[in-house]
Amino acid sequence: MTRKIWLFDTTLRDGEQVPGAKLNIYEKLEVAHQLKKLQVDIIEAGFPASSEGDFQSVKQVATQIGNTSDIMITALARAVKGDIDAVYNAVKYAENPMIHMVLGTSDIHVEKKFSKSKDQILQIGIDAVKYAKTLMPQVQYSTEDASRSDFDYLWSTIEAVIKAGATMINVPDTVGWAVPEQFGELVYKLNDRIKNMNPDVLLSVHCHNDLGMATANTLQAIKNGADKVECTINGIGERAGNAALEEVVMALSTRGDYYDAHTTINKKEIMNTSKIVSSLMGLDVQVNKAITGDNAFAHSSGIHQDGLLKSRDAYEIIHPTEIGLDDMELVLTARSGRHAVRNAIQNLTIDITDEQFEAVFKDFLDLADAKKEVYDHDLFILVDNYLHRNNEASSFMQQAESFYVLDDLQVISNPIFPSATVQVSKGDQVRKASTVGTGPIDALYTALNEVVDLDFDVMEYKISSVTRGKEALGKVKIQVKYEGKTYIAKATHTDVIRASAEAYLNAVNTILVEQIVPSTIF
Ligand code: KIV
Ligand code: ZN
């Protein structure tokens, strides 16, 4: 059996320090509920001394989420009585509460931030732990800026606070200064001494990402004996953020052979958690972000798509379903090769000869250049158009006519009556609608909803620019829910309103493809 690593999630404390990411009490509870589903071991719910609002949020998290002994709830205090009391009074409602306190150990913190002597700071830390222990059995002590601290002073602090009753020692790389090899050596040395002193005291690390090494440092700490790691969802946090929980968890699970350690995280909830945190905090996830980025499981290069179709392990080390995503995404673009396009056509059970395919492939490349991403319904239409052009009998006529094509639209943005008129075709049928909405996109989507036969919920609407300047290509991505299943669709255009409409119709058409070809075989 490999070693269990404790997962301490600080999305609601360090993560919430990101400018603009502050959550209200209901949002905090929603994230905390999701963290419980994700099965983190410890939730750091906030910094109660910072405001009455934060105090109340932490108290509610302790009461509602901490009502079972299998999750620990904590919150942050400076090493002063007022902060420690605030944490105690907020987390005491949990079945398994802990006080977390922080005090710097580096010369910079001791001399410049506190203008005190090392002995004075050490005594403040000892007294704070002793006081916290009168309130609660579990106390974590964080030696802020540990990676830039003098080792002997760092150790004398850790030794003294353990004697005073600290049950967890957290070693933060507060400014992201550490490099993996050095940090690993530090953790190894500290762990050896701590375990000799008291094997029940857990050693933890908390790494920041200023040099892009937070995850690497955290993993190196695990390799060198750390029992517990502090992370955030999507790696959010102060400045460049913290070690990303999903990266650490998936590194341990994918490379368990090397790390010989595991977490008890419910990996299937990783993607849901990432989305909830991103949307509630208004912090987009970088598209190429490991594990939770939009492109983390999307393969677009022709060479890679060809390799994947021959054997998935050629270019895939994690199965997307492991983290709660649908199966992998082979995005059909102008760079997709024949093999991927041929395979997509076959999956749609469209039977064409090699000669027909060559002609369709040419049309595919033209469409991909114009549209950027080609969808399954586009393939039906491409094949049908080709067969029509050549007066060849098309057995796909019926399917190709099941999809909606945007003919035209007009959207008026105005504070009183934002309105939209749309016209779409479905085979020979032409449908029109005009509606008023709460804003231009709401009006547009309400109008589209009237002309299509499907009724789904738009869960997420995101617009971003693909190129620069005022003629930038805008990319719209929407996520919709239909009969309990989530579908993502995108569209790119210089006219972002048109891109919004096309993204909507791409979602509708994707659902329709599934109704025609219920299970795409991969
Ligand atoms: O980065 C840091 O040092 C912290 C401590 C409070 C653990 O966030
Ligand atoms: Zn931090």
Side-chain angles (χ1 to χ4, degrees), residues 483-502:
E483 292 186 347
K485 206 173 153 192
T486 301
Y487 298 81
I488 291 174
K490 298 176 208 154
T492 311
H493 205 283
T494 44
D495 175 345
V496 290
I497 299 289
R498 179 163 278 272
S500 303
E502 283 176 355

Side-chain angles (χ1 to χ4, degrees), residues 67 297-298 430:
N67 56 355
F297 296 93
V430 174

Side-chain angles (χ1 to χ4, degrees), residues 60-73:
Q60 284 312 314
V61 171
T63 312
Q64 297 186 34
I65 315 298
N67 56 355
T68 78
S69 59
D70 51 13
I71 191 159
M72 185 180 258
I73 308 293

Side-chain angles (χ1 to χ4, degrees), residues 38-93:
L38 185 65
Q39 291 170 11
V40 302
D41 299 292
I42 305 169
I43 294 178
E44 184 170 46
F47 181 22
S50 66
S51 70
E52 176 59 21
D54 208 45
F55 175 86
Q56 290 303 337
S57 298
V58 175
K59 184 173 161 183
Q60 284 312 314
V61 171
T63 312
Q64 297 186 34
I65 315 298
N67 56 355
T68 78
S69 59
D70 51 13
I71 191 159
M72 185 180 258
I73 308 293
T74 191
L76 185 66
R78 289 162 296 186
V80 294
K81 186 173 178 300
D83 280 25
I84 295 170
D85 286 340
V87 170
Y88 169 71
N89 286 315
V91 301
K92 67 181 178 190
Y93 299 95

Side-chain angles (χ1 to χ4, degrees), residues 286-505:
Q286 183 185 323
V287 288
N288 61 329
K289 158 96 183 54
I291 317 295
T292 52
D294 260 8
N295 293 349
F297 296 93
H299 304 272
S300 77
S301 129
I303 297 171
H304 287 207
Q305 291 183 346
D306 175 62
L308 279 158
L309 290 167
K310 289 175 178 149
S311 177
R312 288 186 73 137
D313 57 4
Y315 290 104
E316 185 182 271
I317 59 165
I318 299 167
H319 202 291
T321 53
E322 276 182 60
I323 60 154
L325 274 171
D326 290 338
D327 209 343
M328 79 174 172
E329 211 189 332
L330 283 191
V331 185
L332 293 182
T333 68
R335 268 178 288 133
S336 297
R338 285 177 168 70
H339 189 175
V341 179
R342 188 77 166 113
N343 178 74
I345 290 177
Q346 263 160 13
N347 284 347
L348 296 171
T349 64
I350 300 175
D351 194 13
I352 48 175
T353 64
D354 288 347
E355 197 186 325
Q356 287 169 333
F357 173 73
E358 281 308 316
V360 169
F361 187 66
K362 279 204 190 95
D363 294 345
F364 163 84
L365 291 177
D366 289 342
L367 184 68
D369 271 338
K371 228 189 138 180
K372 309 294 172 209
E373 284 182 24
V374 175
Y375 283 75
D376 284 348
H377 66 270
D378 295 318
L379 296 177
F380 272 109
I381 295 171
L382 277 179
V383 173
D384 188 64
N385 283 350
Y386 163 78
L387 295 174
H388 249 77
R389 261 195 336 262
N390 293 281
N391 292 323
E392 295 185 35
S394 167
S395 51
F396 315 110
M397 170 87 112
Q398 222 184 331
Q399 284 98 322
E401 293 198 345
S402 314
F403 304 117
Y404 294 95
V405 178
L406 181 67
D407 295 336
D408 215 343
L409 59 83
Q410 177 175 282
V411 174
I412 297 171
S413 172
N414 134 340
I416 307 172
F417 302 119
S419 55
T421 301
V422 296
Q423 179 180 309
V424 302
S425 315
K426 187 186 185 204
D428 292 339
Q429 303 168 37
V430 174
R431 301 180 180 189
K432 289 183 193 167
S434 293
T435 52
V436 174
T438 54
I441 299 299
D442 181 52
L444 173 68
Y445 282 8
T446 309
L448 286 167
N449 195 41
E450 277 192 16
V451 291
V452 301
D453 297 319
L454 277 183
D455 198 9
F456 53 63
D457 293 324
V458 177
M459 311 296 292
E460 192 184 306
Y461 168 88
K462 206 159 98 187
I463 190 159
S464 52
S465 120
V466 179
T467 52
R468 286 157 171 261
K470 67 181 172 50
E471 287 169 11
L473 277 175
K475 177 153 125 190
V476 172
K477 176 183 153 196
I478 66 169
Q479 189 181 316
V480 307
K481 212 168 204 145
Y482 179 70
E483 292 186 347
K485 206 173 153 192
T486 301
Y487 298 81
I488 291 174
K490 298 176 208 154
T492 311
H493 205 283
T494 44
D495 175 345
V496 290
I497 299 289
R498 179 163 278 272
S500 303
E502 283 176 355
Y504 188 97
L505 292 181

